Amino acid sequence: MAAALVEAAPIGPVRVLHGDDYYVDGPERGVWVPGEEGVSRLDVGDPRSVDEARLAAEVAEALADGSVVIVEGLFARRVTRLVAAPDRFDVFVDLPADLRLARKIRRKCLGEGFPLDVLLRNYLTSRRAAHERHVEPERAVCDLVVEAVVPVHERHVEPERAVCDLVVEAVVPVGVLASRVWVAVGARSRPGGSRGC
């Protein structure tokens, strides 16, 4: 999705920051939970596991360079609201829970070989509730909500591409291209970027 927004940007340079790249990397910070084999793992479904300071610093650095900044990820808006940006436009990409789960199974289990039973157990015991608790509230405070359900007549299009097209079509007419910071919440724009299930 971020790549599609970069293509639509009439001004530049454009810098994309992926939320999945900003999780903490040590057990002294973030939220850690017991894993399948008793080893603690970072809870990437909790925004407290994001290195807010590092992401905020990189957004500020990109803005100082005069870039348009696109920040994407589940917690993008929560984190980047710490950055004083002159112009900002927040987009909530709404994908129904069943489609989010189907995409995750396709990406993680079919594409990366992650065990389906572990993914489903994680989803039912924590991920679904974490999404409702941490991501859904952002919908009410975003500038634009894009319903990312691919219409039946467009099913011949790759689903991820169709969702990107829907976001770009919704964003461009409302003047976001004049903003310096674009934030996409509840979206994934690149394959293989997830740190967990």
Side-chain angles (χ1 to χ4, degrees), residues 20 74 95 99-114 119 127 160 187-197:
D20 285 344
L74 294 176
L95 191 63
L99 296 179
R100 286 194 312 269
L101 181 58
R103 288 178 66 193
K104 180 167 268 193
I105 289 170
R106 180 178 172 203
R107 182 179 68 249
K108 295 293 290 179
C109 299
L110 300 179
E112 300 173 19
F114 193 85
L119 184 139
R127 288 295 212 231
E160 287 78 9
R188 293 185 35 83
S189 66
R190 61 189 178 135
S194 178
R195 294 260 314 247
C197 287

Side-chain angles (χ1 to χ4, degrees), residues 35 86-87 107 111 167 169 194:
D87 301 307
R107 182 179 68 249
V167 172
E169 288 168 15
S194 178

Side-chain angles (χ1 to χ4, degrees), residues 1 46 50 55-56 66 69 96 99 101 103 109 121-122 129 137-138 147 169 174:
M1 179 177 325
D46 191 309
V50 176
L55 178 55
V69 180
L99 296 179
L101 181 58
R103 288 178 66 193
C109 299
R121 186 170 37 258
N122 288 346
E138 298 301 319
E147 301 296 330
E169 288 168 15
V174 296

Side-chain angles (χ1 to χ4, degrees), residues 39-134:
V39 178
S40 292
R41 65 173 175 79
L42 183 66
D43 183 357
V44 296
D46 191 309
R48 296 172 296 172
S49 294
V50 176
D51 187 340
E52 296 179 6
R54 186 166 58 95
L55 178 55
E58 291 196 22
V59 169
E61 176 186 312
L63 287 170
D65 292 342
S67 298
V68 170
V69 180
I70 299 173
V71 182
E72 65 83 24
L74 294 176
F75 308 122
R77 188 179 183 290
R78 290 179 70 101
V79 175
T80 57
R81 66 180 165 208
L82 303 173
V83 178
D87 301 307
R88 177 187 172 125
F89 193 85
D90 296 330
V91 180
F92 186 94
V93 182
D94 184 24
L95 191 63
D98 61 334
L99 296 179
R100 286 194 312 269
L101 181 58
R103 288 178 66 193
K104 180 167 268 193
I105 289 170
R106 180 178 172 203
R107 182 179 68 249
K108 295 293 290 179
C109 299
L110 300 179
E112 300 173 19
F114 193 85
L116 177 61
D117 62 326
V118 174
L119 184 139
L120 291 174
R121 186 170 37 258
N122 288 346
Y123 177 78
L124 293 172
T125 60
S126 63
R127 288 295 212 231
R128 182 173 52 178
H131 182 88
E132 293 299 319
R133 185 173 48 256
H134 300 300

